[in-house]
Amino acid sequence: MVHSAYDSFQLLPNSAARIDAIESCGSTVLLSCSDGSLRIYSPESSAEEDRSTPSTVSEFYHHARELKKEPYVLQRTINGFSKKPMLAMEVIKSKELLLSLSESIAFHRLPSLETLAVITKAKGANAFSWDEKRGLLCFARQKRVCIFRHDGGRGFAEVKEFGVPDYVKSMSWCGENICLGIRREYVILNSTNGALSEVFPSGRTAPPLVVSLPSGELLLGKDNIGVFVDQNGKLLQEGRICWSEAPASVVIEMPYAVGLLPRHIEIRSLLDPYPLIQTVVLRNARRLLQSTHAMIVALETSVYGFFPVPLGAQIVQLTASGNFEEALAMCKLLPPEDSSLRAAKEQSIHIRYAHYLFENGNYEDAMEHFLASQVEITYVFSLYPSIILPKSSVVPEPEKYMDISGDALDLSRGSSPISDDMESIFHPHALDSDERVDFESKKMSHNSLMALIKFLHRKRFNIVEKAAAEGTEEAVSDAVGNSFVSYGYNRPKKPIKGRANVPISSVAREIAAILDTALLQALVLTGQPSAALELLKGFNYCNVKICEEFLQERNQHVCLLELYKCNAMHREALKLLHKLVAESNSNNTPAELTQKFKPEMIIEYLKPLCGTDPMLVLEFSMLVLESCPTQTIELFLSGNIPADLVNSYLKQHAPSMQTTYLELMLAMNENGISGNLQNEMIQIYMSEVLEWYADLNSQGKWDEKIYSPTRKKLLSALDSISRYNPEIMLKRLPPEALFEEHAILLGKINQHELALSIYVHKLNVPELALSYCDRVYESVVGQHSAKSYGNIYLTLLQIYLNPWKTTKNFERRIANLISSQSFAIPKVGPGTSKIKGRLNKKIAEIEVAEETRVNASGTDSGKSDTDDAIEEGTSTILLDKVIDLLAQRWDRINGAQALKLLPRETKLKNLLPFLGPLLRKSSEAYRNFSVIKSLRESESLQVKDELYSLRKTVVKITGDSVCSLCNKKIGTSVFAIYPNGKTIVHFVCFKDSQNMKAVAKGLPLLKR
C-alpha cells in the first residue's frame, strides 16, 4: 500500500435480511433487502430527531449532504416495497425521484417513496442508465434497447426502441450515444438512428463492464484490464488500468478508480501508469456505490463507508514515501480557497523532489522542479559549490526554503489525523567523507552543468528584464532629479564598469549579476566557449573580476577579450590582444594557445573606438602599422581621425613610419591630405635626396642621370602633388645639381622659360621639354587663355634658336627668382583655387599683351629677332629641333610669330611639314567663316522682314471698343495697344497700371 486514500468505517454491522441493493440520499442510506422490504437508515446522532415520515426532501436528507462517519440506525421500514429481488436503485435528485429496477422499472417520489410511475414495457429489464442532463432513460430488455423521456409530470414517454445482437450486460450514456456491453463485445448505439459500431471484444472470463467518467469518456472492462475510450468508442492513448482481478463494478472518485473485487476493494490512481494506491480487504462484498464525497460497500448483511482521507494528509503521505508526482497531482485537487496552502505545499514538494532527482543523477528533471518551485537561483547554486559567485546581500540561505517546506508540512499534518514523519531535505554534510567527495564530483559533472545551463537560460529573461527595468527607472529618476526610487531612498552611487554602465545597487541587478556570472562559468566548463561568447556579446551583468580570473585560468582568451570589450576595458583588451598576436607569431607558440591571432584583429577591435578614443587608437595602431600598413591607414580614414593628429603622433613615436603613412594616405585619398602634410612628405623626400647627393658628390660620383628610389619618389611627388609650396623647395635645392627637380618646381611657379632651358641645355633631353609644353598647353585647353598658352611652344623655339641668351647667368636668375616676392606662390587654403585662377588669368593677359607687342614691333623690321641673338653670341642654334617642333605641333603654334622667329637663311622646303597643314587649315577656316557670314546675313534679312510685317498691323476702333482695364468705351480718347495687337486700353489706364507695378516693385525696398 502506497498511502491511505480512504478510511473504511462500518456503518451498519448487521442487517435483519440479506441486502440486495443499496442507495444513499444525503446522509440517509436505503437498503433493499431479500424479504422485499426497503429499510431506511440514518446516522446515530440523528436518531433522537423526529422519526415521523419526512415531508420534504431536506428533512429526508437530515440537513446533511453526505454520509457521516458514525454508526447508522434503522429509521424506517417499508415492507412489500418490491415483489422480486431488487437489482438496482438510483436517486434522481433533480427530479426528487427514486428509480428502482426489480420486476420492472418504477419511479418513487421522494421523500414519501410513493410509487409515481411504472414502465410496464421494462418488465424483464436487467440494466438501465439515466441521462441527468436530458432527462432520458434507456434500459435493456432481452435483445432490445428502449429509450424513454420524462415528461416533467408523473409519466414517461417512449422515444425510441432498437434491436441489438445479444443480451445487454452493462450500459451507459456517452453523449448522444449509448455504450452497450453485450455478451461478447462492446458496441456504440446511436440513439437517433439506431446505428451500431463495434468497439472491441469483451473479456472471456468476466462480464462486460461500462463505466462513465466525469469527462464524458468511458472505461470499459476486459477481464482484469480497464481500457479508456472516447464517446465514439475510439481508444485513447492514456494507458490501461490493470486490476489484480476482474472487478465486478468500478466507481470513479477523482483522482481514483475504486474497483469491487471478489476478495477486496482495490483503489488505483487515475494518473498514468495507474498505480495501486490502497487495498481494503472485504470478503463477499456485493455492491459498490458512489455517494457524496464517499463510497458505500454493501456486504450480505453489513454496510461499510469509505471516507476519503483529507488531501493534506494524503499529500504528506505521498511525499514521505517518495511519490512526488502523485503528491503534486493531489495538490491540484485542493480547493481554490486554500490557494496559499496549495502554493506552499507545491513548492515544498518540488524542492524535495528536485533534491531527490539531483541525488539520483536526473539533473534535467531536477532543474525542472526547481524551476516549478520558483526557488531563488541562489538556492540552486548551493548544489554547485565550485561555481564562484559574486558577494551579495540578497543571497538567501538554503535553510530559508527548508523552513518553508517545514511550514507547509506542518499545515499538512494539521489537516490530517495521520502523523507520518517527513524525511528531511537531503544535505551533503550528513554523508561520510568518501560519499561527500563522490557527491561533489557528481554536482560538477557535465550532465549536471548542462541541466544548470538550461535552468539558467529559462530564468534569465525575466531576471535580466527586471534588472534592466530598474536600471531604466534609476536613470529616469536621476535625469529628473528625483531621489526616490522604488527600492530605497539611500542607494549607493558606486558605479562599476559594465555594458550599461549602471551601478549594481538593486536586488534584481544583483541576482542578474549572479546568474550571468554562473552561466558563463557553466558554459565554459561544459566546453561551450562559443555560447559563452554569445552571452558576453549580448547585454549581460557578468561580474568582471570573477569572470576575468576564471577565463584567465582556463585560457579562454576570446571570451576574455569580449568580457573586456563589453565592460569598456579597451586598454586591457588591446594589451591582451597584442600579447596573443606576439605569441602567435613567435616560433615557440604556447601550447594553450589554440587559436591563431593576427594583427588584423587589433585593427578590427580599434575601428569602433575611432570616434570615442582616438588617442587609444593611435597608441595601439602603432603596434600593427608596420605589419599591416594599408589596413591601418584605412582604419585612420574610415575612423575620420585627423591626418595632422596621426602625422604628429607618428613623428613623435614612430618616425620611420611617417613617410609610409603619408605615402599611403596620398595614394588612397589625395584630397584628404592637407598642404602642410604634402609639404612635410616632400620635405622628408628632399632631405633624404640631399643627403644622398652630398654623399655622392663628396665621392665625385654624382651624375644627373642617377636615380635612387627616394629621388624617384621625390620627382613623382613634385610632379603629381599640387598643394605644396614650390618656392620653399627651390630654396633647398643646390644650384649646380638636381636640375630635373629644378625644372619641375620652376614649372609649378609658371617659370616656363627657365624650366624648358633646363630640359634643353642642362639635361639635354628635348623630349622632356616637348612633353612639358604639351602638359602646359593641355592643362588649359578649353579655357579662355588656351590660345595664349600656345606661346609656350614659341618659348621653346626661342630656347632652341637662342641658346646663349637662355643659359646666360642661369644660376643667378634662379636665385633672384626665389628671393623676389613678385613670383611668390600664395599659401594653400580654402581660397587657393580662386587665387590660382586669378593668377592664370593675369599671366594670360600679360602673354596676350606680349603677343600684341611682338606683332606690332615685328612688322617693320627687315630681319628676324634671331639674327640679333646670333650676333650677341656664338652658340649654335638647334635648327633641326626647331623644324621638328614646328612639324609636330603646327596646330598649336601661331604661324606668323613662329616664322618671325626663324633665322633668315632657313630654307622654305624644310618648312613644308609645318606650312602645308597650317595653310590648309587656314583656307578651310576662311571658307567656313565665309559660309557662316552668309548664313548670318540671310538670317538678319528674315528677321527684318518679320519686323516690317508686324509693324503693318491695323487696329480698328469702333463705338463698341472697350478698354481691357477699366471696361469703358475707348471713344475718342488716346489709346494704347499691347504687343499682341488685340488688347486695347486707354493710355491713361495703361500709364496707371505701369505706375502701380512700379510701386509694387518698390515696396520691398521701402521695407528695408
Side-chain angles (χ1 to χ4, degrees), residues 657-871:
M657 298 304 298
Q658 186 181 8
T659 306
T660 306
Y661 166 70
L662 292 174
E663 288 175 353
L664 291 172
M665 198 62 183
L666 186 66
M668 297 171 66
N669 186 9
E670 181 179 353
N671 296 327
I673 183 169
S674 64
N676 293 332
L677 293 181
Q678 292 181 7
N679 268 324
E680 187 159 356
M681 185 180 72
I682 295 177
Q683 290 283 12
I684 294 172
Y685 288 154
M686 185 71 75
S687 299
E688 294 183 12
V689 170
L690 290 176
E691 291 178 4
W692 171 70
Y693 160 73
D695 184 44
L696 290 181
N697 191 37
S698 63
Q699 300 175 14
K701 298 179 181 180
W702 171 251
D703 186 355
E704 285 290 338
K705 296 182 180 180
I706 299 176
Y707 295 93
S708 67
T710 306
R711 189 185 182 192
K712 291 180 181 179
K713 291 181 181 179
L714 175 61
L715 291 172
S716 176
L718 291 175
D719 187 38
S720 60
I721 296 176
S722 59
R723 298 174 65 185
Y724 64 91
N725 192 332
E727 188 178 24
I728 297 176
M729 303 303 165
L730 276 171
K731 291 180 180 180
R732 297 192 62 187
L733 289 175
E736 72 282 357
L738 299 175
F739 293 116
E740 190 169 352
E741 287 81 352
H742 278 93
I744 295 174
L745 292 172
L746 289 169
K748 292 292 183 180
I749 59 176
N750 296 324
Q751 294 301 309
H752 306 304
E753 183 181 357
L754 292 175
L756 290 172
S757 299
I758 291 174
Y759 284 127
V760 175
H761 298 299
K762 293 293 184 181
L763 296 174
N764 297 319
V765 187
E767 293 81 8
L768 291 179
L770 181 59
S771 299
Y772 179 88
C773 293
D774 292 339
R775 288 197 303 271
V776 173
Y777 182 87
E778 292 169 358
S779 64
V780 292
V781 170
Q783 300 181 11
H784 64 279
S785 58
K787 183 177 180 180
S788 299
Y789 268 90
N791 292 327
I792 189 67
Y793 295 101
L794 297 177
T795 304
L796 181 57
L797 284 177
Q798 290 176 347
I799 292 173
Y800 284 148
L801 296 172
N802 196 353
W804 178 84
K805 182 179 179 180
T806 55
T807 56
K808 183 175 64 175
N809 298 325
F810 177 75
E811 291 80 2
R812 183 176 56 80
R813 292 171 61 189
I814 293 179
N816 293 337
L817 177 66
I818 294 173
S819 60
S820 175
Q821 296 298 322
S822 60
F823 294 99
I825 302 300
K827 284 187 177 181
V828 177
T832 301
S833 59
K834 296 181 180 179
I835 295 173
K836 186 175 179 180
R838 296 193 209 104
L839 182 60
N840 291 337
K841 185 176 181 182
K842 289 291 183 182
I843 293 172
E845 291 174 355
I846 293 171
E847 291 186 349
V848 171
E850 180 65 22
E851 178 184 354
T852 305
R853 184 188 64 79
V854 171
N855 291 336
S857 63
T859 53
D860 300 331
S861 177
K863 59 180 180 179
S864 66
D865 297 339
T866 310
D867 296 336
D868 297 335
I870 295 173
E871 292 176 359

Side-chain angles (χ1 to χ4, degrees), residues 367-380:
M367 292 304 158
E368 289 292 333
H369 287 281
F370 277 129
L371 192 67
S373 69
Q374 298 181 353
V375 69
E376 292 290 347
I377 59 173
T378 49
Y379 178 78
V380 179

Side-chain angles (χ1 to χ4, degrees), residues 469-742:
E470 289 190 356
T472 303
E473 180 184 353
E474 178 183 343
V476 172
S477 299
D478 291 342
V480 300
N482 186 4
S483 61
F484 172 79
V485 289
S486 61
Y487 48 84
Y489 290 94
N490 299 319
R491 53 183 175 83
K493 297 277 188 174
K494 295 180 180 179
I496 64 166
K497 291 182 180 180
R499 185 180 301 276
N501 197 21
V502 294
I504 293 184
S505 57
S506 70
V507 173
R509 277 175 282 175
E510 288 188 6
I511 293 296
I514 293 172
L515 186 148
D516 282 348
T517 303
L519 179 57
L520 178 69
Q521 297 177 61
L523 289 171
V524 173
L525 290 172
T526 54
Q528 303 181 71
S530 58
L533 188 62
E534 290 299 321
L535 171 66
L536 291 170
K537 286 182 178 179
F539 189 83
N540 66 84
Y541 288 89
C542 291
N543 184 278
V544 178
K545 184 178 180 181
I546 294 175
C547 294
E548 180 183 19
E549 295 176 355
F550 176 81
L551 295 173
Q552 285 176 347
E553 290 177 359
R554 286 158 181 81
N555 298 312
Q556 295 293 330
H557 305 297
V558 178
C559 293
L560 184 57
L561 286 172
E562 190 61 37
L563 175 69
Y564 288 145
K565 183 178 180 180
C566 72
N567 288 279
M569 301 169 64
H570 303 301
R571 184 173 295 277
E572 290 80 358
L574 289 167
K575 286 181 179 178
L576 174 63
L577 190 54
H578 175 60
K579 176 186 175 184
L580 295 173
V581 171
E583 291 178 352
S584 297
N585 295 332
S586 64
N587 295 328
N588 298 325
T589 304
E592 63 272 7
L593 200 64
T594 58
Q595 180 180 350
K596 181 75 173 177
F597 290 87
K598 300 180 180 180
E600 289 81 359
M601 299 177 70
I602 297 180
I603 297 175
E604 290 297 323
Y605 190 97
L606 290 173
K607 283 182 179 179
L609 304 179
C610 292
T612 57
D613 198 348
M615 296 307 298
L616 184 67
V617 174
L618 289 174
E619 178 182 349
F620 283 92
S621 62
M622 298 301 103
L623 305 175
V624 293
L625 181 59
E626 186 172 357
S627 58
C628 304
T630 305
Q631 295 92 324
T632 308
I633 303 305
E634 289 178 353
L635 169 68
F636 296 149
L637 289 175
S638 62
N640 295 323
I641 301 178
D644 292 329
L645 177 62
V646 177
N647 181 65
S648 62
Y649 196 90
L650 288 172
K651 192 173 184 179
Q652 182 179 358
H653 296 88
S656 60
M657 298 304 298
Q658 186 181 8
T659 306
T660 306
Y661 166 70
L662 292 174
E663 288 175 353
L664 291 172
M665 198 62 183
L666 186 66
M668 297 171 66
N669 186 9
E670 181 179 353
N671 296 327
I673 183 169
S674 64
N676 293 332
L677 293 181
Q678 292 181 7
N679 268 324
E680 187 159 356
M681 185 180 72
I682 295 177
Q683 290 283 12
I684 294 172
Y685 288 154
M686 185 71 75
S687 299
E688 294 183 12
V689 170
L690 290 176
E691 291 178 4
W692 171 70
Y693 160 73
D695 184 44
L696 290 181
N697 191 37
S698 63
Q699 300 175 14
K701 298 179 181 180
W702 171 251
D703 186 355
E704 285 290 338
K705 296 182 180 180
I706 299 176
Y707 295 93
S708 67
T710 306
R711 189 185 182 192
K712 291 180 181 179
K713 291 181 181 179
L714 175 61
L715 291 172
S716 176
L718 291 175
D719 187 38
S720 60
I721 296 176
S722 59
R723 298 174 65 185
Y724 64 91
N725 192 332
E727 188 178 24
I728 297 176
M729 303 303 165
L730 276 171
K731 291 180 180 180
R732 297 192 62 187
L733 289 175
E736 72 282 357
L738 299 175
F739 293 116
E740 190 169 352
E741 287 81 352
H742 278 93

Side-chain angles (χ1 to χ4, degrees), residues 20-21 32 84-89 101-103 125-128 287:
D20 289 336
S32 177
K84 290 186 176 182
M86 188 71 67
L87 299 179
M89 293 189 297
L101 173 59
S102 179
E103 184 179 3
N126 61 320
F128 71 88
R287 294 286 186 271

Side-chain angles (χ1 to χ4, degrees), residues 112-129:
S112 61
L113 293 175
E114 64 173 320
T115 301
L116 183 66
V118 177
I119 301 177
T120 56
K121 198 172 183 178
K123 186 175 182 180
N126 61 320
F128 71 88
S129 179

